[in-house]
Amino acid sequence: MAAVLAAALVAGGVGGGIGYWAADRSDTGSTTVSSAGDPKIASRTPGSVADIAGKALPSVVTIEAQSSGGEGGTGTGFVYDTQGHILTNNHVVASAADGGKLAVTFSNGKQYDAEVIGRAQGYDVAVIKLKNPSGLKLSPLPLGDSDRTAVGDATVAIGAPFGLSGTVTTGIVSAKKRPVASSDGGGSNPSYMSALQTDASINPGNSGGPLLNAQGAVIGVNSAIQSANNGGGMPGAQGQSGSIGLGFAIPINQAKNVAEQLIRTGKPVYPVIEATVNMKDAGGGARIVANGMGGTPAVTPGGPADKAGLKPGDVIVKLDDAKIDSGPTLISEIWTHKPGTKVTVTYVRDGKQKTTEITLGERAGDK
């Protein structure tokens, strides 16, 4: 049963220095003789993890974000197009959005300044652009179809966990359509996603990096983890904990739609039903509350939910074929659609189950 997970987003701020590994050496005068090269190793098998990583790494970047106050963090991104756009998470670059600095480093060590083109806090997607890519040949990563992924499909994650750029890990798609409500660690301004779940090792610093399939195409943008060492990754938890095999990626089909919006207008567009639901209770559905924010109507007069006949007290239990067990799950599912899409909503009123059709409205920008 899909449960709502509150997972602390991993912006990947690296504190302190990075340790190093040293091998013990002794002056014995011994000599190691190398064996002849293996021709099979010299040319990696097409489709192998090594082949996928070798092709993708030049297009995966490490992002260093620094606020105007000097605070910073490290995350990941990848080349989206030949115009210099880089796709990443909002929480990776948010600190640098207002007067801060962004530096992008490629796998060959070359570094470029960048600027924020647009951010979508609710989706946790951002697009940045290189400022000075003179002479740089950009190779956008191919985008897959996240709707066609299946549980058990192989995955490859690339990022900079704890500042270790170009780290490659592997796993599988361990679940689909996992409703995740996540925050930046402060418990405010949550993001919602109907995520791809993977057991590929994802740690602080992997945020914004690509989740690839066995063909080397991007199927998701790594965004959040569930961690056992910081209270289960609940909002407000402090510190950076390691992977326990529960990583979550924004499906690339959704991330692509958001990226195109941001490149065109600089602002995200969200599909809405214009009804306020309870965001705390889980398990019984998404209940429309009695009143909205500041005493406003919970169901906006003339809005999509109102036109569909929904009222305060109704409990939404299904959106099309997706089971709804809470408010965050409802938002996660709504945001997988585009404004103007017609969806079938199943709800309970006075103990009786009913259905209605809603045409999704839209809201431009983050609140």
Side-chain angles (χ1 to χ4, degrees):
M1 176 176 171
V4 179
L5 301 177
L9 290 180
V10 285
V14 179
I18 300 297
Y20 66 91
W21 292 266
D24 291 333
R25 293 179 293 178
S26 60
D27 296 327
T28 60
S30 63
T31 302
T32 300
V33 179
S34 299
S35 62
D38 186 340
K40 293 182 179 179
I41 294 178
S43 179
R44 300 295 180 185
T45 304
S48 67
V49 174
D51 178 60
I52 293 170
K55 292 176 180 177
L57 278 167
S59 299
V60 179
V61 300
T62 299
I63 300 172
E64 295 178 30
Q66 187 178 64
S67 68
S68 56
E71 297 179 352
T74 303
T76 306
F78 59 92
V79 177
Y80 183 73
D81 59 26
T82 57
Q83 284 71 51
H85 292 109
I86 305 292
L87 185 58
T88 185
N89 285 146
N90 171 65
H91 75 265
V92 169
V93 303
S95 62
D98 298 316
K101 296 180 180 179
L102 283 176
V104 171
T105 305
F106 284 78
S107 60
N108 59 7
K110 291 186 177 181
Q111 190 175 87
Y112 301 85
D113 292 331
E115 60 183 339
V116 176
I117 296 299
R119 301 189 296 126
Q121 179 271 319
Y123 292 119
D124 196 23
V125 171
V127 175
I128 64 176
K129 189 175 183 180
L130 303 177
K131 286 184 177 180
N132 54 344
S134 57
L136 177 63
K137 185 177 180 180
L138 296 170
S139 298
L141 288 182
L143 305 183
D145 185 351
S146 51
D147 290 339
R148 298 183 64 182
T149 60
V151 173
D153 282 352
T155 58
V156 177
I158 304 179
F162 297 103
L164 300 174
S165 301
T167 296
V168 179
T169 56
T170 64
I172 61 169
V173 174
S174 49
K176 292 182 63 176
K177 299 179 75 67
R178 188 71 80 192
V180 174
S182 54
S183 77
D184 57 6
S188 60
N189 299 323
S191 300
Y192 301 96
M193 68 186 88
S194 183
L196 293 176
Q197 180 181 311
T198 182
D199 65 347
S201 182
I202 296 174
N203 286 287
N206 273 105
S207 288
L211 185 69
L212 308 169
N213 61 16
Q215 289 72 47
V218 182
I219 57 172
V221 180
N222 297 319
S223 182
I225 62 172
Q226 178 81 9
S227 176
N229 294 334
N230 62 355
M234 300 299 291
Q238 300 298 317
Q240 295 182 352
S241 300
S243 171
I244 58 171
L246 289 173
F248 304 98
I250 304 164
I252 194 59
N253 290 8
Q254 181 179 20
K256 178 183 177 182
N257 289 336
V258 178
E260 293 295 334
Q261 293 168 5
L262 296 177
I263 292 171
R264 285 197 308 269
T265 68
K267 292 184 179 180
V269 176
Y270 298 92
V272 294
I273 63 170
E274 296 189 47
T276 304
V277 296
N278 188 318
M279 298 298 287
K280 295 182 179 180
D281 298 337
R287 180 181 295 276
I288 300 178
V289 298
N291 295 292
M293 294 284 290
T296 59
V299 179
T300 302
D306 183 43
K307 290 179 179 179
L310 293 178
K311 299 179 179 180
D314 290 347
V315 180
I316 298 173
V317 295
K318 213 172 184 182
L319 186 78
D320 288 335
D321 294 328
K323 182 179 178 181
I324 305 300
D325 59 8
S326 68
T329 302
L330 176 63
I331 294 177
S332 299
E333 285 299 325
I334 289 174
W335 284 2
T336 63
H337 297 79
K338 294 182 179 180
T341 302
K342 291 184 178 181
V343 295
T344 300
V345 170
T346 303
Y347 64 99
V348 176
R349 178 186 296 170
D350 298 327
K352 296 181 180 179
Q353 193 170 96
K354 302 180 180 182
T355 60
T356 186
E357 191 173 72
I358 296 181
T359 300
L360 299 176
E362 70 175 60
R363 186 193 84 214
D366 287 303
K367 290 184 178 180

